[in-house]
Amino acid sequence: MLRDKERNEKDAKAQAEPPGRLVETPMPKPKVLNTEIPTGFRASSLEEAVRVLGGSVLLIDGMTPQMVLVGSGAAFAGGNPDREVVRVVYDDPPGRQLWLDQQRIEQAPEGAAQALGATSKLNLLPGDTLVTPATDGASSLNWVSQTMFRLGLRGFLPTDSLRALARRVR
């Protein structure tokens, strides 16, 4: 009788607990970049950014900019240090920052390829794209648009996600 009671208790426990062992693991908080303005940049309006870029600012279609910054061209990898760069800051879905850096390339009388080579350490031509991982875990995508903008997209997203966003830059 004692064995029957023990067996019944074991059966009741087995039915109450699901098979396998479930452990609740708290989700890590998303990595949030500092919302302070990076050194070398200043807050700007879209109107000032349009003036800096000489007529237009490129944005990511379907996303809302959170902040617009203007800074030294030396802060933009591969950029012309003598020209200012515009950084449009977005929030990506997990709540981290995504940066779209842009700088207009001046057309030289001798042609676009020579103008690009004279101002870029990356030697990118229109249509070229360069992917570089950053030391903090972010990824960076650099390219030159057909409209002669030097562009950089940087964020904590997989490279294929950055490429998909880059196709939406207009």
Side-chain angles (χ1 to χ4, degrees):
M1 184 140 161
L2 187 57
R3 284 185 169 228
D4 288 338
K5 185 177 179 183
E6 287 176 3
R7 190 176 307 146
N8 287 339
E9 285 176 6
K10 284 183 183 180
D11 289 342
K13 272 188 177 181
Q15 289 175 359
E17 293 180 11
R21 186 176 163 144
L22 298 176
V23 178
E24 278 192 41
T25 306
M27 293 292 294
K29 292 183 180 180
K31 184 175 182 177
V32 178
L33 292 177
N34 193 346
T35 57
E36 293 178 19
I37 296 173
T39 305
F41 283 88
R42 67 181 185 282
S44 169
S45 65
L46 268 175
E47 292 78 20
E48 181 186 1
V50 166
R51 184 188 54 72
V52 166
L53 292 173
S56 62
V57 172
L58 300 177
L59 300 172
I60 301 174
D61 191 31
M63 293 185 76
T64 304
Q66 300 302 311
M67 186 175 6
V68 178
L69 307 171
V70 173
S72 164
F76 185 18
N80 181 347
D82 299 329
R83 300 202 63 164
E84 289 185 306
V85 64
V86 171
R87 176 173 287 172
V88 182
V89 180
Y90 296 92
D91 285 337
D92 71 7
R96 299 165 298 195
Q97 286 186 350
L98 182 67
W99 299 343
L100 175 62
D101 290 343
Q102 48 197 294
Q103 187 179 60
R104 171 107 36 202
I105 299 168
E106 277 189 45
Q107 291 271 352
E110 57 273 357
Q114 290 173 339
L116 281 168
T119 61
S120 175
K121 296 174 190 164
L122 298 178
N123 293 325
L124 293 174
L125 295 175
D128 289 349
T129 303
L130 178 66
V131 178
T132 53
T135 56
D136 59 359
S139 292
S140 182
L141 203 65
N142 291 295
W143 74 101
V144 175
S145 73
Q146 299 294 335
T147 56
M148 299 307 288
F149 274 93
R150 181 175 286 108
L151 298 161
L153 188 59
R154 183 179 187 330
F156 291 89
L157 295 171
T159 304
D160 58 339
S161 296
L162 285 180
R163 284 183 193 274
L165 288 171
R167 287 189 290 273
R168 293 173 30 197
V169 172
R170 300 184 192 343

